[in-house]
Amino acid sequence: MFFLASFPSGKYNTTMAEAQENRAVFLMGKAALALAGLLAFGLLVRLIFVRNYDPDEIQHAHLAWLVFMGQVPYRDFAVNHFPFLWILMAPLMRVLPESPMTLTILRGMALLLNMVFIGALGTLVGRGLQPKQRIWAMACFGLVVCSPQVLHYLIEFRPDPLGNALLFGALAGLGLGGFKSKATTFVCGVGMGAAALINTKCAPFLLVLGAVALVRFAPTGRRIWAPALVIGMGFSFALVSGAILLHWMHIPLDGAYQMVVAYNAAMEKARPFGFGLAVIVMQNWMWLAYIMVGLYGCAILHLDQRRWPGFFS
C-alpha cells in the first residue's frame, strides 16, 4: 500500500492515458496504411483486366512462345533483349492456353513479382527506423508506388518484374542479416547476377551500388572485402551459367551482343522514341520533391541518431 501511495496518482494516470492514446493512434495509422495497401492492390488487379496492352507485353509473350516452339533468338528472329526471360517462361507456354487469356495470366504473374519487389524495397526503406518513423516512411513510399506515372508499370509483363524481384529480394536478404552466412551471401550474389541477365536495366544500378558500397565501407578495412568477394563469386556464377545456357541452346553470343548491346546503344543515341518511365519521371517536377524529401529525411535521422543512416537505408 505504501509503495502504491508513493506514486503521484494524477501524473501516473495522465502518463498511462497518453501512452494508451499514442498506441491507439499508432494502431489506427497501421490500419489506415493496410487499408490503403489493399485498395491499391485492388486497383492494380482491376488494371490487369481493363488497361490496354503495351506492345512490349505482347512481344515478350510471343517471344517466349517462339522459344517454346524451338526457335533460336538472334538466328531465327531478331530481338533487342537478352533471352533469359523467354527461356524461363517457355516451359510455362506448354500449359497456358493459346488465347488472349494468357496475357492476363502473365500480367497477374508480373503483379505478384512486383509485389515481391515492392515488399523487398519497403523492407529496405523501413529498416532501422523507429515504429512511428516507419509508418510515415511506408506512407511516403506508398505515395511513390501509387503515383499515376508508376502504377500501370506494375502490371505489365516484361523482364522488369522478375529482374527487380530478384535484385531487391537479394538486397533485402543482405540487409536483414544475410552477411552473417556465406551461403546466403553467395545466393544473394547469384540473385543479383540473374537480375542483371534478365533485366539489363539492373546492371547500371548494381554498378552504382557497388561503387557506393566501396566508398561507404572503405574505412572499415577488411570487413567489406570478405562479403564483397562472396557476392562477386555468386554474381560471376550467374553470369557464367547464363553464358553456358546460351551456348547449350545454340544461341550465338556474338549475335546477342550485336542485337542487344550495340543495337540499344545506337537507339539511345538516335532517340527515335521515348524511354518510358525514366523520361516520364525526369519531365515531372515531383522527382525533385522526392529527392528533397529524401535528403531532409537523411538529415533528420542524422540529427536524431547522431549518425548517418546505414548503407541499405
Side-chain angles (χ1 to χ4, degrees):
M1 291 293 293
F2 175 77
F3 177 76
L4 293 176
S6 63
F7 284 96
S9 58
K11 183 178 180 179
Y12 178 74
N13 292 334
T14 302
T15 304
M16 288 291 294
E18 291 178 351
Q20 292 177 356
E21 183 179 357
N22 291 337
R23 179 175 175 79
V25 172
F26 178 71
L27 293 176
M28 289 177 61
K30 292 183 66 174
L33 197 61
L35 179 60
L38 289 175
L39 291 175
F41 184 77
L43 177 60
L44 286 169
V45 172
R46 180 178 179 274
L47 283 178
I48 289 177
F49 297 95
V50 302
R51 192 178 186 281
N52 295 335
Y53 287 99
D54 187 276
D56 286 350
E57 296 182 88
I58 301 174
Q59 180 192 35
H60 286 299
H62 179 63
L63 294 174
W65 180 79
L66 288 177
V67 173
F68 164 67
M69 295 299 294
Q71 300 289 311
V72 178
Y74 318 119
R75 188 190 70 185
D76 299 327
F77 55 89
V79 285
N80 62 334
H81 294 280
F82 285 122
F84 297 101
L85 176 68
W86 319 321
I87 294 173
L88 293 174
M89 292 291 106
L92 189 61
M93 293 298 166
R94 185 184 300 273
V95 298
L96 290 178
E98 293 189 12
S99 69
M101 180 57 66
T102 293
L103 293 172
T104 303
I105 296 173
L106 292 176
R107 273 190 166 183
M109 184 183 305
L111 176 58
L112 293 178
L113 289 171
N114 274 319
M115 290 300 101
V116 175
F117 159 51
I118 291 172
L121 184 55
T123 300
L124 293 172
V125 170
R127 182 177 177 271
L129 299 178
Q130 300 297 325
K132 291 183 179 180
Q133 295 173 331
R134 191 177 299 118
I135 285 184
W136 284 105
M138 291 301 100
C140 294
F141 178 62
L143 289 176
V144 178
V145 172
C146 296
S147 299
Q149 294 87 359
V150 176
L151 198 63
H152 67 91
Y153 284 96
L154 299 177
I155 64 167
E156 294 183 357
F157 174 69
R158 52 177 74 237
D160 305 61
L162 180 56
N164 291 340
L166 288 171
L167 173 59
F168 286 91
L171 292 177
L174 293 175
L176 294 176
F179 287 114
K180 298 178 181 179
S181 169
K182 291 183 179 180
T184 303
T185 305
F186 179 82
V187 171
C188 291
V190 173
M192 294 180 188
L197 290 176
I198 293 170
N199 181 20
T200 52
K201 300 171 189 174
C202 295
F205 178 80
L206 286 170
L207 290 175
V208 173
L209 188 68
V212 172
L214 292 177
V215 173
R216 169 68 175 80
F217 290 106
T220 62
R222 297 181 179 179
R223 286 187 296 172
I224 185 61
W225 298 113
L229 179 61
V230 176
I231 292 174
M233 292 173 60
F235 190 90
S236 301
F237 176 81
L239 298 185
V240 172
S241 299
I244 293 174
L245 178 61
L246 295 182
H247 180 74
W248 178 70
M249 297 185 66
H250 305 289
I251 299 175
L253 296 179
D254 57 341
Y257 179 85
Q258 290 296 327
M259 291 302 300
V260 179
V261 180
Y263 175 84
N264 282 301
M267 288 297 100
E268 185 176 358
K269 290 182 179 180
R271 294 192 179 275
F273 48 82
F275 277 83
L277 180 60
V279 174
I280 292 174
V281 171
M282 292 301 295
Q283 291 176 347
N284 194 309
W285 64 270
M286 287 298 292
W287 72 273
L288 181 60
Y290 289 144
I291 292 176
M292 296 305 297
V293 170
L295 293 175
Y296 174 75
C298 287
I300 292 298
L301 289 176
H302 176 60
L303 295 174
D304 182 50
Q305 302 176 4
R306 293 295 185 270
R307 63 180 178 86
W308 291 110
F311 173 68
F312 286 102
S313 300

